[in-house]
C-alpha cells in the first residue's frame, strides 16, 4: 500500500539530508554553553538555535486534532493572531475507526502542510497510547486497543506529516494509559506486554515511518520516569530500534538533570521557572563540568537536533505550507465520513427515506455543540466546524422542516472540581419535556448525545462508562413517544450502551469528527455515504468486565499501577476469558451486505522466514456502494506460554460497487506470529499449527484456515 502514500520518498528514504561530517563540523564549532542552550525550551514551544552559526530555533506545536492556535511566547494565552484558523481534523479514535491507513496518511499531510504555514518544525502528533482502560481521558486522542491497527495508522500518519518536511513527534512513550495520577504513577508492565502490546506502534513509527521525534511520557515505567528511563530511551529506542532522532520530554515531564541526560532524554520541554534554571540549562552545564555527564553525551544530543533541523526547517525544497484550504476540508470530511460506525439498524430506519420525512426533530446538546476546543489540553481554533444540526439542515432542509430541542444540559467542565461538577449526571426534566413534545409531532427524532471535549479530557479520567448529563432518561422519554428515534452518539471512547442497545433500533456512532463532522454525519443519515467505520476498541457490557477493572489494577495502589493483565488487553482479554462484550472490537454495520468466500493460504507449511499469503473473495451482494473491513486474526492453539485467543495480524478495507467481486490478498510474515519470550529476551515462534481466522469483528469469524510452521 505504501507506494501511493505520501512520505514514501521523504528525505530520509532517499538518503540522509545531511552528512555526519557536516553535523560533526558544526558541533565542533560550538561552545558547551551554546550546546546546552539547544537542549531545553527557550519558550513554551521552542528551543534555541545557534544564530552565530545560522542554526535556527526549533519550533513545535500541538497536536493531534490539528495545528493549535498561536499562543504567546511565554504563556498559554492566545497570541490573538488572525492567520491561525486551522482545519480541525477528526480525533485519534475516529481515524482508527476508519481502519484505513490512507486516511491516516492524508491526515498527516494536512497536519504537515498546516504546520509549515505556521512555521512549526515539529508537530506533537500522532498520539497513540494503547486503549487499556476505557475510562482513560485521552482515549479520544489515541487510536485503538490493538498494536497492529495502531502501527499501520501511526506509520502512515508519520509519513504524511514528514512528507512535508515537518517532524512528527510520536507520543507518549510509553505506557501512559491513564490520565489519573499520570504525573506520579509508576506503571509496572512486564517485558512481554511491553514488546507485544505497548511498543509495537512506536517501533513501527520509528522503523517504518522514520519518525524524527519521540515524546517521553509523564509516568514512570517499572520504577523509572519515562524521561530518564535507560531501558526505554537508550536500550530499546535508540540502540535496538536505531532511532536517530530526538527524544523530547512531555511538558514539565523532566525530573532530574544527570539521570535524564545520561538515560536518553535530548530536549527538556515545558518545565516551570526561569529557563536558565531548568534541569537541562545551568544545572546540566554544571553536571558536565563536574564530569557527571560527558561532553560526548551532549554532542550526541546536539547532533540529533541538528539532524532533525536538517530534515525540517533547513531541508532543501522546504514547502511553504497551506492552511485551512478547501482540500484540507475535503480530507477532514473524508476521514469523518469513513469513521462513522453504524452500530444498530435492525428496522432499517437508516438511511432515512427523504420522501417519508416531512418533520425532523433534532434533539440534544451535541447537535449544536462544536468539539474543536474544550477541556484541558490541545485543541484547534477551527476555521469553521459544521455541527450536526447544521449538517442535517443542509442535507434535509429543502425537503423537511427541522426543529431543535436541547434535551439536556452538558454541565461539566474539565477544570472544575468534583464539587463544582456535582449533578452533571442528572436529567433536566424541563428540557426532556420540551424534547418529548417535539418528538411527538415529528416523524423522526435524531437524538444527538454522547460526551464532549470537557467531559473527555486530558489530565482526567472518566469515573464511569455511563452516558453523562441524564442522557439515558432523555433517550427513554423520546423513544417512548417516537419509535423512529435515531440515536447519534458523539464521543471518543467506549460508553455503556446496554439500555440503548435493547430499546433502540438505530444507533450511529460519530466522534469529535472535525470541521466537517455535521456534513459527514448528515450524509450517513441520507445514505449519500454508506457507513464503513468499525469500532477501534471493545465496548464492555460493564466496566468490571474490562481487564484493568477486573483485576483491580486501575488506578493502581498507592503510586503503582501494575498491569496484571499482561498481554491480555482489549479483545485479547475478552476473547481469551470468554467475556461477551457489548460491542466487539472491529464491529460495524453497513447499508449493504457482503459475502466472503474462497479463503485460502498459499501453502500448508511455512518456514520461519516466509510470508503467508492468504486470499479471499468478497462480493457486495447488496444494492449500494460500500466498504467492508476484513480482519485477519491468527491464533496459536498449542503453545508453551499463554497466547491470546486471537490477534489481529492484517486487515483491508475493501470498497465495492453493488454486485462487484474482488479477490484480496493479505500477507502475514511468519515472524509476526512470534511471542516475546521473557526468559530468553527474544521473540520465539514455536513450530506447530496456527489458525488463520477471517472475519469482520473479533467476534464474527467467518472463515478459518489452518497452517503449520516448521
Ligand atoms: C501533553 C502533551 C502535549 C503537551 C504540550 C502535555 O500536557 O501531555 O501531549 O503535547 O502538553 O501541549
Amino acid at each position: 500500500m505504501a507506494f501511493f502514500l505520501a512520505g514514501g520518498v521523504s528525505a530520509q528514504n532517499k538518503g540522509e539530508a545531511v552528512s555526519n561530517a557536516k553535523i560533526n563540523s558544526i558541533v565542533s564549532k560550538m561552545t558547551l554553553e551554546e550546546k546546552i542552550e539547544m537542549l531545553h525550551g527557550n519558550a513554551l514551544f521552542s528551543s534555541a538555535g545557534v544564530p552565530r552559526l545560522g542554526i535556527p530555533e526549533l519550533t513545535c506545536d500541538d497536536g493531534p486534532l490539528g495545528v493549535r492556535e498561536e499562543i504567546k511566547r511565554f504563556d498559554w494565552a492566545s497570541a490573538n493572531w488572525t492567520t491561525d484558523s486551522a482545519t480541525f481534523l477528526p480525533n485519534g479514535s475516529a481515524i482508527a475507526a476508519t481502519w484505513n491507513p490512507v486516511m491516516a496518511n492524508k491526515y498527516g499531510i494536512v497536519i504537515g502542510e498546516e504546520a509549515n504555514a505556521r512555521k512549526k518544525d515539529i508537530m506533537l502528533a500522532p498520539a497513540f497510547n494503547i486503549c487499556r482502560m476505557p475510562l482513560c481521558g485521552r482515549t479520544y486522542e489515541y487510536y485503538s486497543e490493538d498494536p497492529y491497527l495502531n502501527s499501520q495508522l501511526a506509520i502512515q500518519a508519520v509519513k504524511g506529516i514528514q512528507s512535508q518536511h515537518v517532524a512528527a513527534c510520536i507520543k507518549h512513550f510509553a505506557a501512559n494509559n491513564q490520565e489519573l495520577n499520570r504525573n506520579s504513577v509508576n506503571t509496572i508492565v512486564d517485558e512481554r506486554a511491553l514488546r507485544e502490546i505497548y511498543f509495537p506502534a512506536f517501533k513501527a513509527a520509528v522503523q517504518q515511518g522514520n519518525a524524527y521525534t519521540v515524546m517521553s511520557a509523564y509516568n514512570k515505567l517499572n520504577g523509572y520516569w519515562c524521561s530518564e528511563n535507560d531501558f526505554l530511551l537508550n536500550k530499546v529506542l535508540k540502540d535496538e530500534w536505531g532511532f536517530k532522532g530526538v527524544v523530547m520530554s512531555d511538558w514539565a515531564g523532566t525530573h532530574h538533570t544527570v539521570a535524564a541526560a545520561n538515560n536518553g532524554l535530548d530536549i527538556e520541554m515545558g518545565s516551570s521557572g526561569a529557563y536558565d534554571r531548568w534541569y537541562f540549562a545551568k544545572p546540566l552545564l554544571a553536571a558536565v563540568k563536574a564530569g557527571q555527564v560527558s561532553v560526548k553525551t551532549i554532542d550526541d544530543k546536539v547532533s540529533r537536533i541538528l539532524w532533525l533541523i536538517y530534515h525540517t526547517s533547513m531541508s532543501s525544497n522546504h514547502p511553504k505550507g497551506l492552511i485551512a484550504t478547501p482540500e484540507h476540508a475535503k480530507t477532514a470530511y473524508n476521514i469523518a465520513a469513513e469513521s462513522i460506525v453504524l452500530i444498530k439498524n435492525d428496522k432499517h430506519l437508516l438511511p432515512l427515506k427523504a420522501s417519508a420525512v416531512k418533520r425532523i426533530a433534532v434533539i440534544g446538546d451535541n447537535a449544536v455543540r462544536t468539539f474543536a476546543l474544550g477541556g484541558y489540553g490541545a485543541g484547534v481554533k477551527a476555521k469553521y466546524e459544521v455541527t450536526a444540526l447544521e449538517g442535517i439542515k443542509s442535507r434535509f432542509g429543502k425537503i423537511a422542516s427541522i426543529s431543535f430541542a436541547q434535551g439536556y444540559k452538558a454541565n461539566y467542565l474539565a477544570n472544575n472540581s468534583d464539587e463544582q461538577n456535582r449533578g452533571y449526571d442528572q436529567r433536566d426534566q424541563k428540557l426532556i419535556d420540551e424534547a418529548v413534545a417535539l418528538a411527538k409531532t415529528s416523524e423522526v427524532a435524531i437524538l444527538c448525545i454522547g460526551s464532549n471535549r470537557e467531559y473527555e479530557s486530558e489530565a482526567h479520567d472518566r469515573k464511569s462508562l455511563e452516558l453523562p448529563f441524564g442522557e439515558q432518561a432523555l433517550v427513554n422519554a423520546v423513544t417512548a413517544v417516537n419509535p423512529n428515534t435515531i440515536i447519534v452518539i458523539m464521543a471518543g471512547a467506549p460508553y455503556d450502551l446496554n439500555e440503548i442497545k435493547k430499546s433502540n433500533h438505530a444507533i450511529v456512532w460519530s466522534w469529535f469528527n472535525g470541521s466537517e463532522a455535521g456534513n459527514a454525519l448528515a450524509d450517513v443519515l441520507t445514505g449519500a455515504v454508506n457507513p464503513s467505520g468499525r469500532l477501534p476498541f471493545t465496548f464492555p457490557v460493564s466496566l468490571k468486565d474490562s481487564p484493568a477493572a477486573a483485576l483491580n489494577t486501575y488506578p493502581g495502589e498507592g503510586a503503582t499501577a501494575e498491569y496484571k493483565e499482561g498481554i491480555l488487553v482489549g479483545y485479547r482479554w475478552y476473547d481469551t476469558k470468554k467475556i461477551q462484550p457489548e460491542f466487539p472490537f472491529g464491529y460495524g454495520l453497513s447499508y449493504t451486505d457482503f459475502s466472503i468466500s474462497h479463503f485460502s493460504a498459499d501453502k500448508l507449511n511455512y518456514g520461519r522466514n516466509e510470508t503467508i499469503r492468504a486470499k479471499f473473495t468478497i462480493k457486495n451482494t447488496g444494492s449500494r456502494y460500500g466498504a467492508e473491513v476484513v480482519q485477519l486474526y491468527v491464533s496459536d492453539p498449542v503453545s508453551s506460554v499463554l497466547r491470546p485467543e486471537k490477534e489481529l495480524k492484517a486487515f483491508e478495507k475493501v470498497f465495492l460497487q453493488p454486485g462487484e467481486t474482488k479477490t484480496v490478498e493479505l500477507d502475514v510474515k511468519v515472524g509476526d506470529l512470534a511471542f516475546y519470550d521473557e526468559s530468553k529476551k527474544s521473540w520465539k515462534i514455536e513450530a506447530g499449527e496456527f489458525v488463520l481466522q477471517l472475519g469482520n469483528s473479533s467476534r464474527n469469524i467467518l472463515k478459518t484456515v489452518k497452517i503449520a510452521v516448521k
Side-chain angles (χ1 to χ4, degrees), residues 130-152:
I130 289 284
C131 176
R132 167 185 185 250
M133 178 5 109
L135 299 181
C136 172
R138 294 184 92 166
T139 303
Y140 81 90
E141 258 186 276
Y142 298 156
Y143 287 160
S144 84
E145 66 186 25
D146 181 75
Y148 180 77
L149 178 55
N150 277 18
S151 300
Q152 299 312 304

Side-chain angles (χ1 to χ4, degrees), residues 348-481:
H348 298 285
L349 264 177
L350 291 171
L352 279 171
K353 288 160 207 69
S355 55
V357 185
K358 293 280 167 281
R359 286 178 309 270
I360 301 178
V362 178
I363 296 168
D365 183 76
N366 270 357
V368 291
R369 187 171 277 268
T370 55
F371 300 99
L373 292 168
Y376 185 91
V380 182
K381 182 166 116 190
K383 183 172 179 197
Y384 72 93
E385 180 178 348
V386 180
T387 65
L389 182 61
E390 287 163 352
I392 291 167
K393 280 189 175 162
S394 90
R395 297 328 194 233
F396 291 94
K398 288 212 176 87
I399 51 163
S401 82
I402 296 161
S403 310
F404 169 73
Q406 196 190 341
Y408 67 91
K409 261 204 201 100
N411 275 332
Y412 189 98
L413 291 177
N415 288 327
N416 272 358
S417 64
D418 285 354
E419 184 50 34
Q420 289 167 318
N421 278 327
R422 209 145 61 102
Y424 75 86
D425 48 354
Q426 300 302 307
R427 71 179 77 181
D428 184 316
Q429 196 56 48
K430 188 168 158 281
L431 293 182
I432 292 182
D433 292 344
E434 281 168 21
V436 165
L438 185 62
K440 267 188 192 160
T441 57
S442 308
E443 281 115 9
V444 171
I446 302 173
L447 205 40
C448 297
I449 56 169
S451 71
N452 58 42
R453 293 282 314 288
E454 293 291 338
Y455 191 64
E456 287 181 41
S457 170
E458 184 183 328
H460 301 262
D461 285 349
R462 283 179 294 151
K463 293 200 168 53
S464 84
L465 291 179
E466 264 171 51
L467 287 165
F469 317 136
E471 290 175 0
Q472 187 63 54
L474 172 69
V475 171
N476 295 346
V478 170
T479 308
V481 298

Side-chain angles (χ1 to χ4, degrees), residues 45 62 68 76 124 138 171-172 182 215 218 250-251 376 458:
F45 282 96
D62 280 300
R68 181 188 201 136
W76 294 86
L124 307 174
R138 294 184 92 166
K171 64 190 190 182
H172 309 85
R182 66 174 177 171
M215 186 186 290
Y218 278 130
D250 200 342
W251 268 233
Y376 185 91
E458 184 183 328

Side-chain angles (χ1 to χ4, degrees), residues 73-281:
R73 199 166 157 82
F74 299 112
D75 74 57
W76 294 86
S78 168
N80 294 317
W81 282 18
T82 53
T83 52
D84 57 348
S85 294
T87 306
F88 166 29
L89 288 148
N91 63 292
S93 46
I95 293 173
T98 69
W99 283 69
N100 189 348
V102 176
M103 289 297 131
N105 188 256
K106 297 204 157 144
Y107 154 90
I109 295 169
V110 172
I111 291 276
E113 288 187 342
E114 300 209 354
N116 276 329
R118 294 274 311 283
K119 304 216 174 337
K120 306 296 178 193
D121 308 324
I122 306 173
M123 278 305 295
L124 307 174
F128 46 80
N129 291 93
I130 289 284
C131 176
R132 167 185 185 250
M133 178 5 109
L135 299 181
C136 172
R138 294 184 92 166
T139 303
Y140 81 90
E141 258 186 276
Y142 298 156
Y143 287 160
S144 84
E145 66 186 25
D146 181 75
Y148 180 77
L149 178 55
N150 277 18
S151 300
Q152 299 312 304
L153 299 167
I155 292 166
Q156 293 307 334
V158 167
K159 283 191 173 183
I161 295 172
Q162 296 189 170
S163 69
Q164 303 307 310
H165 303 213
V166 169
C169 182
I170 55 176
K171 64 190 190 182
H172 309 85
F173 193 53
N176 176 185
N177 310 98
Q178 64 191 58
E179 290 299 282
L180 192 57
N181 307 333
R182 66 174 177 171
N183 291 307
S184 56
V185 70
N186 177 20
T187 56
I188 306 291
V189 194
D190 62 64
E191 190 167 346
R192 183 171 172 206
L194 287 174
R195 300 278 182 179
E196 293 188 23
I197 306 292
Y198 298 100
F199 283 175
F202 285 97
K203 182 178 181 185
V206 166
Q207 294 192 330
Q208 296 173 60
N210 287 323
Y212 299 156
T213 68
V214 172
M215 186 186 290
S216 60
Y218 278 130
N219 49 288
K220 288 182 184 170
L221 176 65
N222 293 329
Y224 300 94
W225 295 111
C226 289
S227 57
E228 52 184 71
N229 194 310
D230 180 54
F231 168 74
L232 203 55
L233 305 182
N234 281 339
K235 299 216 163 62
V236 173
L237 177 67
K238 291 182 175 174
D239 295 349
E240 237 181 75
W241 298 350
F243 176 64
K244 289 184 175 168
V246 170
V247 177
M248 61 203 313
S249 73
D250 200 342
W251 268 233
T254 309
H255 299 270
H256 300 101
T257 298
V258 176
N262 287 335
N263 293 333
L265 185 70
D266 299 311
I267 303 186
E268 173 191 15
M269 291 302 294
S271 299
S272 54
Y275 287 89
D276 64 351
R277 300 276 175 82
W278 285 17
Y279 296 104
F280 273 20

